[in-house]
Amino acid sequence: MTDTTSTATKDADVLSRLEQEGEIAADYLEGLLDIADLDGDIDMDVEGDRAAVSIVSDGPARDLQKLVGRDGEVLEALQELTRLAVHRETGERSRLMLDIAGHRARKREKLTALATEAVEQVKDSGEPVKLKPMTPFERKVVHDAVAAAGLRSESEGEEPQRRVVVLP
């Protein structure tokens, strides 16, 4: 077997594993929606190196807002519970991402814009820019956006005051 074939096989195995994670998560979340008597459809995808599952609804967004909570707190908890359900089934730690009613997608757009502003500020001033404290998800989005813009960033501080610093 050549290196190319070996790599393709590994990629297919990873994709298959991530799709399995998405299926397990979807089943778990369907059960939760039934228990909570909420309407929602489950969308599954693979984004980079992780399974991505979204709960979307044709109905009023406020129904699913209960599952997002204030500032995404309930969403974060549901993501962890879903990851645990996947772990229970597979025996593997999951990095699955959960979005509900587009909350994370909207947050990602805002954070990317914030990172872009910080990058411009650093390029103009040549000085590091410290951002406000963020959750791990928020920091990851900012780090990715900063790297895509060609600069470096690092996290500093302790939870819950951990923040991103954009470096020249």
Side-chain angles (χ1 to χ4, degrees):
M1 192 186 310
T2 65
D3 288 339
T4 307
T5 306
S6 177
T7 301
T9 303
K10 286 180 189 173
D11 290 348
D13 290 346
V14 169
L15 183 62
S16 176
R17 183 180 54 79
L18 294 175
E19 288 171 346
Q20 179 191 17
E21 283 186 19
E23 300 274 340
I24 294 166
D27 289 344
Y28 177 77
L29 292 165
E30 288 279 354
L32 278 177
L33 289 173
D34 287 345
I35 290 168
D37 196 29
L38 294 171
D39 290 327
D41 294 322
I42 309 289
D43 288 340
M44 295 181 300
D45 199 6
V46 173
E47 294 177 0
D49 60 349
R50 62 176 68 196
V53 179
S54 300
I55 301 175
V56 295
S57 175
D58 293 335
R62 70 180 178 279
D63 287 350
L64 290 181
Q65 280 308 118
K66 297 171 190 171
L67 298 178
V68 173
R70 191 187 75 207
D71 243 1
E73 291 170 341
V74 177
L75 170 59
E76 291 287 340
L78 284 173
Q79 177 174 276
E80 286 307 310
L81 289 172
T82 305
R83 286 176 174 177
L84 286 172
V86 170
H87 181 262
R88 185 185 68 221
E89 292 288 322
T90 65
E92 301 281 326
R93 184 177 173 273
S94 173
R95 296 182 58 233
L96 175 132
M97 286 295 288
L98 175 63
D99 194 4
I100 299 174
H103 177 79
R104 282 196 198 271
R106 288 187 301 277
K107 190 122 187 163
R108 186 176 278 125
E109 286 177 19
K110 290 179 184 172
L111 289 165
T112 300
L114 175 70
T116 301
E117 288 175 24
V119 163
E120 291 306 315
Q121 191 176 344
V122 168
K123 285 180 177 177
D124 290 345
S125 70
E127 297 294 319
V129 171
K130 291 183 180 186
L131 301 176
K132 65 180 179 47
M134 297 178 183
T135 67
F137 163 76
E138 293 168 333
R139 291 193 308 270
K140 168 99 171 78
V141 171
V142 171
H143 285 306
D144 289 350
V146 169
L151 289 184
R152 291 183 318 114
S153 59
E154 57 188 36
S155 293
E156 71 175 24
E158 300 295 321
E159 298 290 354
Q161 297 300 311
R162 198 153 171 81
R163 69 183 66 234
V164 173
V165 180
V166 181
L167 303 167

